[in-house]
Amino acid sequence: MKRPAKSSRKIQDVLRAQNISGDGLESCPVRQVLDQIGDKWSTLMLLALSEKPYRFGELRRLIPDISQRMLTQTLRDLQRNGLVSRTVFPTNPPSVEYRLTPLGTSLLGPLDALVRWAENAYGKIVTARGDFDRKAA
């Protein structure tokens, strides 16, 4: 049986490098970053903006199952983290465009690898869930 490739860093190494233990886990930089970019809306938004800059309404139509409130919050969070920029154009009414920043663009390689892995592993994950649910029932 082939052994899975070892991760270059173990959780203990990450925590030790940041001098984090016990109660201080919420201050872990890895956790802080992954919490911000790991949710489904942020991932979809980053993938959408990798194609081109979009206006708010275009993003809303592109991702129809996201609520306006969640779209607004996700874009604000991505802006706050420096991954997306927001430009207001002086039109009447004002139009707003969102685009990836250089930092956001730098995330596309790792994100693309994760998306490809998810697409390739999806069938196995569905099978594993079914097996687990049958055994748990």
Side-chain angles (χ1 to χ4, degrees):
M1 181 174 186
K2 186 177 176 183
R3 298 186 83 183
K6 284 190 176 183
S7 172
S8 60
R9 298 189 70 179
K10 294 180 181 174
I11 186 67
Q12 295 90 347
D13 297 333
V14 172
L15 297 175
R16 195 175 307 113
Q18 300 301 324
N19 196 24
I20 296 169
S21 62
D23 297 335
L25 289 177
E26 67 277 354
S27 66
C28 175
V30 173
R31 183 179 293 185
Q32 289 290 316
V33 171
L34 292 179
D35 280 350
Q36 294 297 308
I37 62 171
D39 67 273
K40 68 178 178 179
W41 300 122
S42 293
T43 302
L44 287 174
M45 202 68 50
L46 292 166
L47 291 173
L49 292 170
S50 72
E51 298 170 356
K52 66 175 194 163
Y54 280 101
R55 293 190 325 266
F56 186 89
E58 291 176 311
L59 286 168
R60 182 84 198 277
R61 287 187 294 278
L62 189 65
I63 308 170
D65 55 334
I66 190 171
S67 69
Q68 184 167 335
R69 180 182 177 279
M70 187 54 66
L71 177 58
T72 299
Q73 186 60 53
T74 301
L75 287 167
R76 283 186 183 149
D77 290 343
L78 292 170
Q79 282 179 262
R80 182 172 181 254
N81 287 296
L83 302 173
V84 169
S85 66
R86 177 180 186 263
T87 304
V88 179
F89 295 99
T91 58
N92 193 3
S95 59
V96 179
E97 180 183 83
Y98 297 90
R99 70 174 55 235
L100 291 181
T101 63
L103 184 60
T105 301
S106 73
L107 180 57
L108 294 177
L111 188 57
D112 182 58
L114 181 60
V115 168
R116 278 186 278 120
W117 176 86
E119 290 170 341
N120 292 332
Y122 182 71
K124 291 178 183 177
I125 291 171
V126 169
T127 300
R129 287 176 182 169
D131 293 345
F132 181 89
D133 292 345
R134 277 189 294 285
K135 289 176 185 174

